[in-house]
Amino acid sequence: MEQKTGSGMTRRSMLKYAAATAAATRASSLLASVLAKAPSTKPNFVIILCDDMGFADLAAFGNPVINTPNIDRLAQEGLKMTSFCVAPACSPTRGMLMTGKYPPRTGLINVTGPGSPVGVRPGDMTIAQALKLQGYRTAMFGKWHIGDFDTNPAFNPIEHGFDQFYGLPYSHDYNYPAGVPLYRNKEKIEQPVKYNLLTKRYTEEATKFIRERGKEPFFLYLAHNMPHIPVGTSPEFAGHSRAGRYGDVIEEIDWSVGEVLRVLKETGKEKDTVVVFTSDNGPWLAVGEDTYDHKERGSKEVGDVGWAGLLKGGKSSTYEGGVRVPTITRYPGVFPAGKTTAEMASVLDLYATFVSMAGGTIPANRKIDGVNITSLLKGGKTSPRQELFYYSSDTIQGVRQGSWKLRIAPVGADGVTRKAYGATKGEMVTELYNLDTDPSERFDRAAKEPEIVAHLSTRMKEFDDALKATRLPLTAYLERVSQKD
Ligand SMILES: [Ca+2]
């Protein structure tokens, strides 16, 4: 028989009540601690995107010569990500960042040079537009490269969610001999651009923008042209590094990162700001091996390119060296400091992650490929992303699920690949790697693991077929753009 207590409750129900009260107290104290740690306002977002920076170009990622004390400090104060992936080329990665979609879904499959009819579509809401809906002030300083707005003003970043813009329509090695135009908002202000000054100028624009901000949240997209060839620095950084001109460029970028961090701190915004530092693809190894026709200098010379470290391949290759880039995220008090994660993430994921952190949601009827990785950035052991597809232009070349990566691609996408295999260029090769035990992709396990190969190749085809069945046909898209509707 239940023993009644003074309050009329049975002993069992009292114990239950006590347990529930304790749980509620724990929950409310947990809630209180979460609220205490949560910033009082929507966080600011700063994305620093480098161009062609390799996985091992920074001291924090193992470079033995180049000094990057500011970026190293960012890593000490933030989360270093060693399995953060992008596309193997400039424009596809920038399209993925801006839209959260794989390149074939947006048509941003190849680089967009002068006069290219392809650019970001009006129907693709950019991350800047999505954040503006959450009340953000937005600015971009740097290389756009998802539509030549010098030819077609509809591609200008101002038309795609940015309140302010200062930068170039594409890489600074295009458009010889007229040279590459520099724009402020929708106005051309210099041609040819003095590309050696770009790192410094972008930094000045970025720090000015931060200083001018009040209480409203902001999104700053700082997209350096460097260290893409031809490399150049402001005079103060010439001869700065033991690693030659390329080292000088990386060390000036490090200075730039230091300036941005310093101004965030001085303006009291450090704790309210998420900083992401990354690159758009791996090092352009093929240019380093061959001579680069440097029209502006009137010479042919060996290209100045970086390192992919222990990763195989470089830019234009779907080996990890082409698509895995040095990435650091920092959000003081929210993301863990001084930690490293080898869990998989993609540049695709920043869209959903930032919109979520800003308090927004992605409408269910808007198909994006990115996932919200906030839990990983906050120190979670497992990434919400457990599957990633590798596209080269419009062609699927691989899939990764957890540790396993299947790659089915023609030999010879770059010189490194061809030499490594001694095979005929164009020959299709199927390879399977365990990226946890073999990050350098040295030991092809395809012959030993036929079931994994079968599973992943089926998944790869299934995903690609579904994507291409639902996308806007590329030809229709080109017609629409040419009509400027
Ligand atoms: Ca690039």
Side-chain angles (χ1 to χ4, degrees), residues 336-399:
K339 300 273 193 221
T340 298
T341 180
E343 280 287 302
M344 178 166 44
S346 164
V347 71
L348 289 167
D349 303 331
L350 297 180
Y351 189 108
T353 303
F354 284 11
V355 170
S356 162
M357 292 178 78
T361 51
I362 309 283
N365 62 356
R366 196 184 328 146
K367 173 65 184 167
I368 68 165
D369 297 298
V371 296
N372 180 354
I373 57 166
T374 305
S375 62
L376 175 67
L377 300 181
K378 285 183 173 175
K381 290 267 184 290
T382 306
S383 177
R385 172 172 292 285
Q386 287 296 311
E387 181 176 64
L388 180 69
F389 297 95
Y390 296 69
Y391 276 92
S392 173
S393 183
D394 203 28
T395 306
I396 196 163
Q397 287 195 342
V399 58

Side-chain angles (χ1 to χ4, degrees), residues 50-53 89-91 94 143 228 280-282 315:
C50 298
D51 195 347
D52 292 6
M53 177 181 277
C90 307
S91 303
R94 287 152 208 271
K143 183 182 95 163
H228 190 293
D280 72 336
N281 51 252
K315 177 177 179 174

Side-chain angles (χ1 to χ4, degrees), residues 18-36:
T21 306
T25 306
R26 278 198 304 276
S28 77
S29 74
L30 181 66
L31 181 65
S33 75
V34 168
L35 287 174

